[in-house]
Amino acid sequence: MKRIVNLRINGLNYEIALEPRRTLAEALRYDLGLTGTKIGCSIGDCGACTVLIDGVPSFSCLVLAVEAEGHEIMTIEGVAEGGKLHPVQQSFVEIGAIQCGFCTPGMVLTALAFLKDNPDPSDAQIRRAISGNLCRCTGYQKIVDAIKDAAKRMREKQGVL
Amino acid sequence: MRLPQFDYYSPRDLPEALDWLAEHQAQGVRVLAGGTDLLVDIRGKVIPDGHRPRCQQHRSGPWSARIVSSEPTDCLIALSRIPELRGISLDGHHLRIGAMVTIAELERSPVIRELLSGLSDGAAQLGSPLVRNRGTYGGNLCNARPAADTAIPTLSLAGKLVLASKRGERTVDHDDFVTGPGETVLEADELLKEIIFDLPDNTHGSAYIKLANRKALEISVVGAAAALTFEPMKPNAGGRGSGKTMMIEEAWIALGSVAPKPLLITEAGEYLKGKEFNRQTAAEAARIAAETARPITDHRGGLEYRKMMVEVLVRRALNRCRDRALSGVDHEVGS
Protein backbone atom coordinates (compact mmCIF):
# COMPACT_ATOMS: atom_id res chain seq x y z
CA MET A 1 0.00 0.00 0.00
CA LYS A 2 1.27 3.46 -0.85
CA ARG A 3 2.00 5.96 1.85
CA ILE A 4 2.79 9.66 1.85
CA VAL A 5 6.48 10.34 2.22
CA ASN A 6 8.10 13.74 2.67
CA LEU A 7 11.54 13.99 1.14
CA ARG A 8 13.90 16.92 1.29
CA ILE A 9 16.07 16.91 -1.81
CA ASN A 10 18.55 19.61 -2.81
CA GLY A 11 16.92 22.01 -0.37
CA LEU A 12 13.37 21.48 -1.68
CA ASN A 13 10.52 19.58 -0.04
CA TYR A 14 8.65 16.92 -1.99
CA GLU A 15 5.54 15.08 -0.87
CA ILE A 16 5.00 11.86 -2.78
CA ALA A 17 2.94 8.70 -2.45
CA LEU A 18 5.16 5.61 -2.49
CA GLU A 19 5.09 1.90 -1.81
CA PRO A 20 7.53 0.95 0.98
CA ARG A 21 9.46 -1.19 -1.49
CA ARG A 22 10.35 1.86 -3.59
CA THR A 23 14.08 2.52 -3.28
CA LEU A 24 15.37 6.06 -3.06
CA ALA A 25 17.03 5.67 -6.47
CA GLU A 26 13.71 4.64 -8.05
CA ALA A 27 11.84 7.45 -6.31
CA LEU A 28 14.36 10.03 -7.53
CA ARG A 29 14.31 8.84 -11.13
CA TYR A 30 10.76 7.61 -11.72
CA ASP A 31 8.66 9.68 -9.32
CA LEU A 32 10.59 12.94 -9.28
CA GLY A 33 12.31 12.90 -12.68
CA LEU A 34 15.72 13.54 -11.16
CA THR A 35 17.46 11.26 -13.65
CA GLY A 36 20.96 12.50 -12.89
CA THR A 37 21.18 9.66 -10.37
CA LYS A 38 21.99 6.48 -12.31
CA ILE A 39 20.99 2.92 -11.51
CA GLY A 40 23.71 0.46 -12.42
CA CYS A 41 23.72 -2.81 -10.53
CA SER A 42 20.92 -2.21 -7.96
CA ILE A 43 22.82 -4.33 -5.42
CA GLY A 44 25.35 -1.94 -3.93
CA ASP A 45 28.38 -2.84 -5.98
CA CYS A 46 28.84 -0.10 -8.58
CA GLY A 47 28.14 3.19 -6.79
CA ALA A 48 26.47 4.81 -9.82
CA CYS A 49 23.42 5.65 -7.68
CA THR A 50 25.42 7.48 -4.99
CA VAL A 51 23.65 10.42 -3.35
CA LEU A 52 24.52 12.30 -0.18
CA ILE A 53 22.28 11.59 2.80
CA ASP A 54 23.01 14.17 5.50
CA GLY A 55 26.30 14.75 3.69
CA VAL A 56 27.29 11.07 3.71
CA PRO A 57 27.72 9.26 0.36
CA SER A 58 25.19 6.42 0.23
CA PHE A 59 23.83 3.97 -2.34
CA SER A 60 20.36 5.19 -3.17
CA CYS A 61 19.55 1.71 -4.57
CA LEU A 62 19.92 0.15 -1.11
CA VAL A 63 17.98 2.77 0.84
CA LEU A 64 14.21 2.60 0.92
CA ALA A 65 12.66 5.95 0.07
CA VAL A 66 10.61 5.75 3.29
CA GLU A 67 13.88 5.46 5.24
CA ALA A 68 15.17 8.70 3.71
CA GLU A 69 12.34 10.71 5.28
CA GLY A 70 13.65 13.32 7.72
CA HIS A 71 17.09 13.41 6.12
CA GLU A 72 18.73 15.95 3.86
CA ILE A 73 19.37 14.42 0.43
CA MET A 74 21.67 15.86 -2.20
CA THR A 75 21.73 14.57 -5.76
CA ILE A 76 23.92 15.61 -8.68
CA GLU A 77 21.22 18.12 -9.67
CA GLY A 78 21.92 20.08 -6.49
CA VAL A 79 25.68 20.37 -6.90
CA ALA A 80 25.98 23.28 -9.33
CA GLU A 81 24.93 26.64 -7.92
CA GLY A 82 23.13 29.25 -9.99
CA GLY A 83 24.11 27.57 -13.26
CA LYS A 84 27.77 27.60 -12.28
CA LEU A 85 29.56 24.27 -12.02
CA HIS A 86 31.04 23.26 -8.68
CA PRO A 87 34.89 23.13 -8.71
CA VAL A 88 34.71 19.32 -8.60
CA GLN A 89 32.51 19.27 -11.72
CA GLN A 90 34.68 21.86 -13.46
CA SER A 91 37.79 19.77 -12.79
CA PHE A 92 36.12 16.60 -14.07
CA VAL A 93 35.26 18.41 -17.32
CA GLU A 94 38.62 20.07 -17.81
CA ILE A 95 40.84 17.13 -16.85
CA GLY A 96 38.79 14.71 -18.95
CA ALA A 97 37.66 12.51 -16.08
CA ILE A 98 34.39 11.82 -17.92
CA GLN A 99 34.03 9.35 -20.73
CA CYS A 100 30.64 7.65 -20.94
CA GLY A 101 29.52 9.63 -17.91
CA PHE A 102 27.50 6.92 -16.20
CA CYS A 103 29.64 6.83 -13.05
CA THR A 104 30.18 10.60 -13.01
CA PRO A 105 27.25 11.76 -10.81
CA GLY A 106 28.16 9.24 -8.11
CA MET A 107 31.85 9.92 -8.47
CA VAL A 108 31.35 13.70 -8.15
CA LEU A 109 29.20 13.34 -5.03
CA THR A 110 31.66 10.94 -3.40
CA ALA A 111 34.50 13.34 -4.20
CA LEU A 112 32.54 16.30 -2.86
CA ALA A 113 31.93 14.67 0.53
CA PHE A 114 35.51 13.38 0.68
CA LEU A 115 37.09 16.79 -0.03
CA LYS A 116 35.06 18.40 2.74
CA ASP A 117 36.98 16.28 5.30
CA ASN A 118 40.25 16.04 3.36
CA PRO A 119 41.11 19.37 1.73
CA ASP A 120 44.60 18.24 0.69
CA PRO A 121 44.46 14.49 -0.03
CA SER A 122 47.15 12.12 -1.31
CA ASP A 123 46.57 9.89 -4.35
CA ALA A 124 46.25 6.86 -2.08
CA GLN A 125 43.59 8.57 0.05
CA ILE A 126 41.63 9.53 -3.08
CA ARG A 127 41.78 6.00 -4.48
CA ARG A 128 40.57 4.59 -1.18
CA ALA A 129 37.74 7.15 -1.02
CA ILE A 130 36.42 6.30 -4.50
CA SER A 131 36.91 2.54 -4.13
CA GLY A 132 33.13 2.04 -3.94
CA ASN A 133 32.44 3.88 -7.21
CA LEU A 134 33.26 1.79 -10.26
CA CYS A 135 34.28 3.34 -13.57
CA ARG A 136 34.66 1.10 -16.60
CA CYS A 137 36.08 3.73 -18.98
CA THR A 138 38.78 5.90 -17.53
CA GLY A 139 41.05 3.52 -15.63
CA TYR A 140 40.56 5.98 -12.74
CA GLN A 141 43.76 7.98 -13.30
CA LYS A 142 41.98 11.03 -14.76
CA ILE A 143 39.40 10.86 -11.99
CA VAL A 144 42.13 10.90 -9.35
CA ASP A 145 43.79 13.80 -11.19
CA ALA A 146 40.49 15.68 -11.33
CA ILE A 147 39.82 15.25 -7.63
CA LYS A 148 43.33 16.50 -6.85
CA ASP A 149 42.78 19.46 -9.14
CA ALA A 150 39.43 20.19 -7.51
CA ALA A 151 41.03 20.08 -4.07
CA LYS A 152 43.52 22.69 -5.23
CA ARG A 153 40.79 24.91 -6.68
CA MET A 154 38.77 24.66 -3.48
CA ARG A 155 41.79 25.47 -1.30
CA GLU A 156 42.61 28.48 -3.46
CA LYS A 157 39.02 29.65 -3.35
CA GLN A 158 39.04 29.38 0.40
CA GLY A 159 42.35 31.26 0.58
CA VAL A 160 40.81 34.19 -1.30
CA LEU A 161 37.76 34.40 0.94
CA MET B 1 13.80 -5.43 -11.20
CA ARG B 2 11.83 -4.03 -8.30
CA LEU B 3 11.89 -5.26 -4.73
CA PRO B 4 9.06 -7.62 -3.76
CA GLN B 5 5.99 -6.22 -2.02
CA PHE B 6 6.26 -5.88 1.73
CA ASP B 7 4.87 -3.92 4.64
CA TYR B 8 7.14 -1.57 6.50
CA TYR B 9 7.16 -0.76 10.17
CA SER B 10 9.50 1.74 11.78
CA PRO B 11 9.30 1.82 15.59
CA ARG B 12 10.45 4.93 17.48
CA ASP B 13 12.09 3.22 20.45
CA LEU B 14 13.22 -0.18 21.65
CA PRO B 15 10.21 -1.17 23.82
CA GLU B 16 7.91 -0.40 20.88
CA ALA B 17 10.05 -2.57 18.58
CA LEU B 18 10.16 -5.47 21.06
CA ASP B 19 6.39 -5.31 21.67
CA TRP B 20 5.78 -5.45 17.95
CA LEU B 21 8.19 -8.34 17.43
CA ALA B 22 6.57 -10.29 20.29
CA GLU B 23 3.24 -10.04 18.46
CA HIS B 24 4.57 -10.67 14.95
CA GLN B 25 6.76 -13.73 15.26
CA ALA B 26 5.42 -15.18 12.05
CA GLN B 27 7.78 -16.07 9.25
CA GLY B 28 8.30 -13.38 6.69
CA VAL B 29 9.31 -10.68 9.16
CA ARG B 30 12.82 -9.48 8.43
CA VAL B 31 14.84 -6.94 10.43
CA LEU B 32 16.16 -4.00 8.41
CA ALA B 33 19.35 -2.43 9.76
CA GLY B 34 21.61 -0.77 7.15
CA GLY B 35 20.03 -2.70 4.28
CA THR B 36 23.31 -3.33 2.45
CA ASP B 37 22.78 -7.09 2.66
CA LEU B 38 19.05 -7.47 3.28
CA LEU B 39 17.86 -5.39 0.33
CA VAL B 40 20.21 -7.30 -1.96
CA ASP B 41 19.04 -10.58 -0.51
CA ILE B 42 15.30 -10.04 -0.94
CA ARG B 43 15.56 -8.74 -4.49
CA GLY B 44 14.72 -11.56 -6.91
CA LYS B 45 17.53 -12.90 -9.02
CA VAL B 46 17.20 -14.20 -12.57
CA ILE B 47 18.83 -17.60 -12.67
CA PRO B 48 18.99 -19.46 -15.98
CA ASP B 49 17.62 -23.00 -15.61
CA GLY B 50 20.30 -25.64 -15.29
CA HIS B 51 22.84 -22.94 -14.67
CA ARG B 52 26.33 -24.35 -14.47
CA PRO B 53 29.05 -21.74 -14.63
CA ARG B 54 31.65 -22.16 -17.39
CA CYS B 55 29.95 -25.27 -18.71
CA GLN B 56 29.68 -26.09 -22.43
CA GLN B 57 26.06 -27.17 -22.14
CA HIS B 58 25.15 -23.86 -20.64
CA ARG B 59 26.68 -21.87 -23.47
CA SER B 60 24.80 -23.70 -26.18
CA GLY B 61 21.36 -23.03 -24.66
CA PRO B 62 18.36 -23.27 -25.12
CA TRP B 63 17.72 -20.42 -22.72
CA SER B 64 15.12 -20.45 -20.04
CA ALA B 65 15.26 -18.71 -16.73
CA ARG B 66 13.34 -18.26 -13.54
CA ILE B 67 13.24 -15.65 -10.85
CA VAL B 68 14.29 -16.85 -7.47
CA SER B 69 14.30 -14.96 -4.23
CA SER B 70 15.32 -15.87 -0.71
CA GLU B 71 12.78 -16.50 2.05
CA PRO B 72 9.47 -14.76 1.50
CA THR B 73 9.46 -11.27 2.99
CA ASP B 74 6.09 -9.97 4.14
CA CYS B 75 7.21 -7.20 6.43
CA LEU B 76 10.35 -5.29 7.27
CA ILE B 77 10.88 -3.83 10.71
CA ALA B 78 13.32 -0.93 10.37
CA LEU B 79 15.65 -0.15 13.25
CA SER B 80 16.92 3.17 11.90
CA ARG B 81 14.86 5.37 14.24
CA ILE B 82 15.58 3.57 17.51
CA PRO B 83 17.90 5.73 19.66
CA GLU B 84 18.81 2.92 22.11
CA LEU B 85 20.67 1.06 19.36
CA ARG B 86 23.07 3.91 18.60
CA GLY B 87 26.24 5.27 20.12
CA ILE B 88 29.63 4.13 21.37
CA SER B 89 30.35 4.68 25.06
CA LEU B 90 33.22 3.96 27.38
CA ASP B 91 32.34 3.29 31.01
CA GLY B 92 35.38 2.42 33.09
CA HIS B 93 36.52 -0.94 31.77
CA HIS B 94 33.51 -1.57 29.59
CA LEU B 95 33.13 -0.36 26.04
CA ARG B 96 29.59 -0.51 24.70
CA ILE B 97 28.75 -0.33 20.99
CA GLY B 98 25.14 -0.03 19.85
CA ALA B 99 24.04 -2.54 17.20
CA MET B 100 23.04 0.23 14.75
CA VAL B 101 26.44 1.93 14.86
CA THR B 102 27.59 2.03 11.25
CA ILE B 103 30.79 0.40 10.04
CA ALA B 104 32.08 3.87 9.10
CA GLU B 105 31.47 5.09 12.67
CA LEU B 106 33.46 2.12 13.99
CA GLU B 107 36.23 2.83 11.50
CA ARG B 108 36.49 6.51 12.47
CA SER B 109 36.12 6.19 16.23
CA PRO B 110 39.41 7.12 17.97
CA VAL B 111 38.33 5.17 21.08
CA ILE B 112 37.90 1.97 19.09
CA ARG B 113 41.13 2.55 17.14
CA GLU B 114 42.96 2.85 20.45
CA LEU B 115 41.28 0.20 22.59
CA LEU B 116 39.91 -2.32 20.07
CA SER B 117 42.38 -1.89 17.21
CA GLY B 118 41.48 -5.24 15.65
CA LEU B 119 37.84 -4.23 15.31
CA SER B 120 38.90 -0.93 13.79
CA ASP B 121 41.02 -2.86 11.25
CA GLY B 122 38.04 -5.03 10.36
CA ALA B 123 35.68 -2.08 9.93
CA ALA B 124 38.18 -0.27 7.70
CA GLN B 125 38.40 -3.23 5.32
CA LEU B 126 34.73 -4.17 5.05
CA GLY B 127 33.14 -3.79 1.60
CA SER B 128 33.61 -0.31 0.16
CA PRO B 129 33.25 3.17 1.67
CA LEU B 130 29.63 3.27 0.47
CA VAL B 131 28.85 -0.05 2.15
CA ARG B 132 30.54 1.13 5.36
CA ASN B 133 28.52 4.35 5.41
CA ARG B 134 25.20 2.46 5.53
CA GLY B 135 26.09 -0.99 6.82
CA THR B 136 25.91 -1.57 10.57
CA TYR B 137 27.96 -3.50 13.09
CA GLY B 138 24.90 -5.37 14.34
CA GLY B 139 23.87 -6.19 10.78
CA ASN B 140 27.28 -7.63 9.99
CA LEU B 141 27.16 -9.81 13.13
CA CYS B 142 23.57 -11.00 12.67
CA ASN B 143 24.23 -11.93 9.05
CA ALA B 144 26.66 -14.45 10.52
CA ARG B 145 28.76 -15.00 7.42
CA PRO B 146 31.97 -16.94 8.05
CA ALA B 147 34.04 -14.13 6.48
CA ALA B 148 32.36 -11.16 8.21
CA ASP B 149 35.10 -8.58 8.71
CA THR B 150 33.83 -7.26 12.04
CA ALA B 151 32.86 -10.67 13.42
CA ILE B 152 36.37 -12.18 13.39
CA PRO B 153 37.91 -9.38 15.52
CA THR B 154 34.81 -9.34 17.76
CA LEU B 155 35.43 -13.02 18.48
CA SER B 156 39.12 -12.46 19.23
CA LEU B 157 38.30 -9.51 21.52
CA ALA B 158 35.70 -11.58 23.41
CA GLY B 159 32.83 -9.24 22.60
CA LYS B 160 29.59 -10.05 24.40
CA LEU B 161 26.32 -9.67 22.52
CA VAL B 162 23.28 -8.37 24.38
CA LEU B 163 20.06 -9.78 22.93
CA ALA B 164 16.84 -8.06 23.92
CA SER B 165 13.24 -9.22 23.74
CA LYS B 166 10.02 -8.44 25.54
CA ARG B 167 10.90 -11.36 27.83
CA GLY B 168 14.10 -9.64 28.95
CA GLU B 169 17.74 -9.47 28.01
CA ARG B 170 20.41 -12.14 27.74
CA THR B 171 24.12 -11.94 27.03
CA VAL B 172 25.92 -14.43 24.80
CA ASP B 173 29.52 -14.81 23.66
CA HIS B 174 30.11 -14.38 19.95
CA ASP B 175 31.22 -18.00 19.64
CA ASP B 176 27.84 -19.18 20.99
CA PHE B 177 25.89 -16.57 19.02
CA VAL B 178 26.75 -17.93 15.56
CA THR B 179 25.68 -21.52 14.98
CA GLY B 180 26.40 -21.89 11.27
CA PRO B 181 26.64 -19.98 8.01
CA GLY B 182 23.95 -17.28 8.28
CA GLU B 183 22.54 -18.88 11.43
CA THR B 184 22.44 -17.47 14.94
CA VAL B 185 20.74 -18.16 18.26
CA LEU B 186 18.52 -15.07 17.81
CA GLU B 187 14.88 -15.95 18.47
CA ALA B 188 12.12 -14.54 16.26
CA ASP B 189 11.19 -11.97 18.92
CA GLU B 190 14.76 -10.93 19.74
CA LEU B 191 16.98 -8.10 18.56
CA LEU B 192 20.72 -7.63 18.96
CA LYS B 193 20.86 -4.49 21.13
CA GLU B 194 24.53 -3.87 21.78
CA ILE B 195 27.97 -5.41 21.99
CA ILE B 196 30.04 -5.05 25.16
CA PHE B 197 33.80 -5.43 25.52
CA ASP B 198 35.57 -5.82 28.86
CA LEU B 199 38.89 -4.02 28.55
CA PRO B 200 41.93 -5.55 30.23
CA ASP B 201 43.85 -3.63 32.93
CA ASN B 202 47.22 -4.52 31.52
CA THR B 203 48.93 -3.55 28.29
CA HIS B 204 47.09 -5.05 25.33
CA GLY B 205 47.09 -4.96 21.57
CA SER B 206 44.85 -6.42 18.87
CA ALA B 207 44.87 -6.69 15.09
CA TYR B 208 42.94 -8.11 12.14
CA ILE B 209 44.52 -8.91 8.80
CA LYS B 210 42.42 -9.65 5.74
CA LEU B 211 43.77 -11.44 2.71
CA ALA B 212 41.69 -10.77 -0.38
CA ASN B 213 42.12 -10.44 -4.12
CA ARG B 214 41.21 -6.73 -4.12
CA LYS B 215 41.33 -3.96 -1.57
CA ALA B 216 37.64 -3.07 -1.81
CA LEU B 217 34.32 -4.87 -2.32
CA GLU B 218 35.85 -8.21 -1.57
CA ILE B 219 35.24 -11.22 0.62
CA SER B 220 38.34 -12.50 2.35
CA VAL B 221 40.28 -15.60 1.29
CA VAL B 222 41.43 -15.78 4.89
CA GLY B 223 40.99 -13.33 7.76
CA ALA B 224 43.05 -13.55 10.94
CA ALA B 225 42.39 -11.67 14.17
CA ALA B 226 44.49 -11.73 17.30
CA ALA B 227 44.34 -10.03 20.70
CA LEU B 228 47.11 -10.20 23.29
CA THR B 229 47.28 -8.98 26.88
CA PHE B 230 50.69 -8.80 28.52
CA GLU B 231 51.75 -9.03 32.14
CA PRO B 232 53.07 -5.77 33.59
CA MET B 233 56.51 -5.30 32.11
CA LYS B 234 59.62 -5.37 34.27
CA PRO B 235 62.37 -3.31 32.73
CA ASN B 236 65.30 -5.47 31.58
CA ALA B 237 63.86 -8.58 33.16
CA GLY B 238 65.80 -11.71 32.38
CA GLY B 239 69.02 -9.78 32.34
CA ARG B 240 69.42 -9.91 28.59
CA GLY B 241 70.54 -6.39 27.88
CA SER B 242 68.13 -3.80 26.53
CA GLY B 243 65.37 -6.12 25.24
CA LYS B 244 62.15 -6.17 27.23
CA THR B 245 60.67 -9.53 28.08
CA MET B 246 56.99 -9.57 27.29
CA MET B 247 55.05 -12.26 29.10
CA ILE B 248 51.65 -13.13 27.63
CA GLU B 249 48.79 -13.08 30.09
CA GLU B 250 45.91 -13.76 27.67
CA ALA B 251 45.86 -14.63 23.99
CA TRP B 252 42.92 -14.94 21.60
CA ILE B 253 43.17 -15.94 17.95
CA ALA B 254 40.19 -16.08 15.57
CA LEU B 255 39.97 -16.91 11.88
CA GLY B 256 37.52 -16.06 9.12
CA SER B 257 36.73 -17.94 5.88
CA VAL B 258 38.25 -21.19 7.09
CA ALA B 259 35.17 -22.88 8.59
CA PRO B 260 31.35 -22.63 8.37
CA LYS B 261 31.51 -19.91 11.04
CA PRO B 262 34.14 -17.59 12.54
CA LEU B 263 36.58 -19.93 14.21
CA LEU B 264 38.18 -19.40 17.62
CA ILE B 265 41.53 -21.19 17.89
CA THR B 266 41.51 -21.91 21.60
CA GLU B 267 44.50 -24.29 21.32
CA ALA B 268 46.76 -21.49 20.08
CA GLY B 269 45.50 -19.11 22.78
CA GLU B 270 46.13 -21.71 25.49
CA TYR B 271 49.60 -22.38 24.12
CA LEU B 272 50.61 -18.72 24.31
CA LYS B 273 49.23 -18.11 27.79
CA GLY B 274 52.04 -17.56 30.33
CA LYS B 275 54.76 -17.75 27.68
CA GLU B 276 57.20 -15.11 26.62
CA PHE B 277 56.35 -13.40 23.34
CA ASN B 278 59.11 -14.07 20.84
CA ARG B 279 59.63 -15.29 17.31
CA GLN B 280 59.42 -18.97 18.27
CA THR B 281 56.25 -18.77 20.36
CA ALA B 282 54.48 -16.64 17.71
CA ALA B 283 55.49 -19.10 15.00
CA GLU B 284 54.29 -22.06 17.02
CA ALA B 285 50.92 -20.42 17.73
CA ALA B 286 50.57 -19.72 13.99
CA ARG B 287 51.38 -23.34 13.19
CA ILE B 288 48.71 -24.54 15.65
CA ALA B 289 46.19 -22.17 14.03
CA ALA B 290 46.98 -23.51 10.54
CA GLU B 291 46.57 -27.07 11.80
CA THR B 292 43.22 -26.33 13.45
CA ALA B 293 41.73 -24.37 10.53
CA ARG B 294 39.44 -26.42 8.31
CA PRO B 295 38.97 -24.43 5.13
CA ILE B 296 37.41 -25.65 1.90
CA THR B 297 38.50 -25.17 -1.69
CA ASP B 298 36.33 -22.69 -3.58
CA HIS B 299 36.67 -19.96 -6.21
CA ARG B 300 38.42 -17.65 -3.73
CA GLY B 301 41.20 -20.03 -2.81
CA GLY B 302 42.29 -23.62 -2.38
CA LEU B 303 42.34 -25.52 0.90
CA GLU B 304 46.15 -25.89 0.95
CA TYR B 305 46.74 -22.25 0.06
CA ARG B 306 44.35 -21.10 2.75
CA LYS B 307 46.07 -23.21 5.41
CA MET B 308 49.46 -21.78 4.44
CA MET B 309 48.09 -18.27 4.55
CA VAL B 310 46.56 -18.84 7.99
CA GLU B 311 50.04 -19.48 9.32
CA VAL B 312 51.48 -16.34 7.72
CA LEU B 313 48.58 -14.08 8.71
CA VAL B 314 48.38 -15.28 12.31
CA ARG B 315 52.09 -14.68 12.75
CA ARG B 316 51.79 -11.19 11.30
CA ALA B 317 48.70 -10.42 13.39
CA LEU B 318 50.49 -11.51 16.57
CA ASN B 319 53.47 -9.32 15.74
CA ARG B 320 51.18 -6.39 15.07
CA CYS B 321 49.48 -6.96 18.46
CA ARG B 322 52.89 -6.85 20.12
CA ASP B 323 53.92 -3.67 18.27
CA ARG B 324 50.69 -1.96 19.18
CA ALA B 325 50.93 -2.99 22.82
CA LEU B 326 54.45 -1.57 22.93
CA SER B 327 54.16 1.65 21.02
CA GLY B 328 50.51 2.44 20.54
CA VAL B 329 48.36 2.20 17.43
CA ASP B 330 49.46 2.96 13.92
CA HIS B 331 46.91 5.27 12.40
CA GLU B 332 47.23 4.33 8.75
CA VAL B 333 44.56 1.75 8.02
CA GLY B 334 43.78 -0.52 5.12
CA SER B 335 47.29 -1.91 4.67
Side-chain angles (χ1 to χ4, degrees):
Chain A
M1 201 178 65
K2 286 190 177 182
R3 58 178 76 197
I4 302 292
V5 179
N6 289 287
L7 295 177
R8 189 165 167 79
I9 302 160
N10 302 328
L12 298 172
N13 293 316
Y14 297 86
E15 189 183 78
I16 41 178
L18 294 171
E19 285 179 340
R21 65 165 166 169
R22 201 71 152 161
T23 64
L24 180 58
E26 290 165 347
L28 290 170
R29 288 182 60 85
Y30 310 143
D31 297 308
L32 299 170
L34 296 169
T35 54
T37 302
K38 306 302 179 207
I39 298 179
C41 67
S42 300
I43 55 168
D45 278 337
C46 75
C49 66
T50 303
V51 300
L52 303 187
I53 301 180
D54 296 330
V56 178
S58 310
F59 300 117
S60 58
C61 74
L62 292 185
V63 176
L64 298 178
V66 287
E67 290 261 284
E69 199 166 22
H71 297 281
E72 196 76 39
I73 298 153
M74 187 182 197
T75 68
I76 192 67
E77 286 89 350
V79 175
E81 272 178 60
K84 196 169 176 300
L85 291 183
H86 186 278
V88 174
Q89 293 172 305
Q90 195 62 45
S91 296
F92 268 65
V93 172
E94 285 178 21
I95 301 277
I98 301 168
Q99 284 186 27
C100 85
F102 200 81
C103 75
T104 309
M107 207 59 99
V108 166
L109 287 163
T110 295
L112 203 74
F114 167 68
L115 291 175
K116 224 163 236 162
D117 299 332
N118 302 273
D120 190 8
S122 68
D123 280 20
Q125 285 173 317
I126 296 173
R127 285 184 184 271
R128 189 171 149 77
I130 60 168
S131 59
N133 294 80
L134 303 188
C135 169
R136 300 291 79 171
C137 306
T138 62
Y140 300 102
Q141 187 54 48
K142 299 265 182 183
I143 294 174
V144 174
D145 294 346
I147 295 174
K148 265 201 128 149
D149 184 66
K152 200 167 144 234
R153 281 170 199 256
M154 288 164 77
R155 285 199 309 273
E156 278 165 6
K157 204 171 146 196
Q158 224 141 47
V160 171
L161 288 172
Chain B
M1 192 188 304
R2 289 198 288 177
L3 291 170
Q5 288 279 7
F6 51 74
D7 283 333
Y8 168 87
Y9 173 63
S10 175
R12 299 278 155 172
D13 59 28
L14 191 59
E16 203 183 299
L18 297 178
D19 280 349
W20 188 90
L21 275 173
E23 281 165 34
H24 299 79
Q25 292 188 34
Q27 273 207 326
V29 172
R30 311 278 306 260
V31 179
L32 176 66
T36 53
D37 279 310
L38 183 69
L39 296 184
V40 175
D41 210 33
I42 65 174
R43 189 182 289 273
K45 293 178 186 67
V46 180
I47 307 276
D49 281 333
H51 176 63
R52 287 187 206 97
R54 294 185 214 97
C55 154
Q56 202 58 46
Q57 235 177 324
H58 170 64
R59 255 178 245 147
S60 53
W63 279 88
S64 64
R66 71 208 139 93
I67 296 170
V68 294
S69 63
S70 62
E71 306 158 45
T73 304
D74 300 323
C75 188
L76 296 188
I77 171 167
L79 307 184
S80 55
R81 292 177 214 279
I82 302 179
E84 292 97 319
L85 302 179
R86 304 220 163 249
I88 298 170
S89 55
L90 182 60
D91 169 25
H93 283 286
H94 306 287
L95 206 153
R96 174 210 162 266
I97 306 174
M100 283 294 284
V101 165
T102 66
I103 305 297
E105 285 173 292
L106 282 187
E107 181 189 0
R108 289 186 197 133
S109 158
V111 179
I112 290 177
R113 187 84 202 124
E114 188 69 36
L115 299 172
L116 303 173
S117 322
L119 183 58
S120 181
D121 290 343
Q125 294 177 76
L126 187 149
S128 75
L130 289 158
V131 176
R132 300 197 281 271
N133 285 343
R134 293 295 300 182
T136 63
Y137 185 25
N140 197 227
L141 295 181
C142 291
N143 244 328
R145 306 317 310 179
D149 286 316
T150 63
I152 319 304
T154 300
L155 184 55
S156 76
L157 289 158
K160 292 187 174 62
L161 284 68
V162 180
L163 314 182
S165 71
K166 204 180 172 183
R167 296 168 286 133
E169 285 185 6
R170 60 178 175 141
T171 303
V172 296
D173 290 336
H174 186 274
D175 202 26
D176 300 324
F177 177 69
V178 182
T179 52
E183 284 161 24
T184 68
V185 298
L186 267 180
E187 300 284 345
D189 63 340
E190 272 182 323
L191 288 177
L192 171 61
K193 183 184 164 200
E194 60 201 12
I195 301 89
I196 297 184
F197 294 89
D198 296 331
L199 303 169
D201 289 319
N202 290 331
T203 319
H204 57 100
S206 59
Y208 170 69
I209 301 181
K210 173 180 182 175
L211 175 70
N213 294 324
R214 291 188 300 250
K215 284 188 178 171
L217 284 166
E218 186 57 301
I219 297 169
S220 66
V221 177
V222 172
L228 294 178
T229 308
F230 295 97
E231 288 173 15
M233 268 178 265
K234 300 163 206 130
N236 297 330
R240 275 185 291 157
S242 56
K244 285 180 194 161
T245 307
M246 298 182 78
M247 299 301 290
I248 299 166
E249 190 178 70
E250 282 276 356
W252 295 74
I253 293 168
L255 300 173
S257 299
V258 299
K261 58 179 246 180
L263 193 64
L264 192 63
I265 313 287
T266 39
E267 297 88 345
E270 284 302 320
Y271 165 79
L272 285 173
K273 225 175 188 174
K275 292 210 171 51
E276 182 190 340
F277 185 98
N278 58 34
R279 196 183 286 210
Q280 285 79 30
T281 49
E284 177 59 14
R287 197 194 59 75
I288 296 171
E291 204 163 81
T292 319
R294 39 196 171 94
I296 54 165
T297 294
D298 65 12
H299 62 285
R300 277 192 288 276
L303 183 157
E304 295 82 2
Y305 176 65
R306 282 184 154 142
K307 276 199 172 246
M308 286 164 79
M309 290 304 106
V310 165
E311 191 165 348
V312 175
L313 296 186
V314 168
R315 201 168 58 224
R316 285 186 194 163
L318 287 169
N319 282 323
R320 203 168 282 182
C321 290
R322 190 263 327 262
D323 293 346
R324 285 172 172 176
L326 270 179
S327 51
V329 187
D330 39 288
H331 285 274
E332 199 56 46
V333 289
S335 55

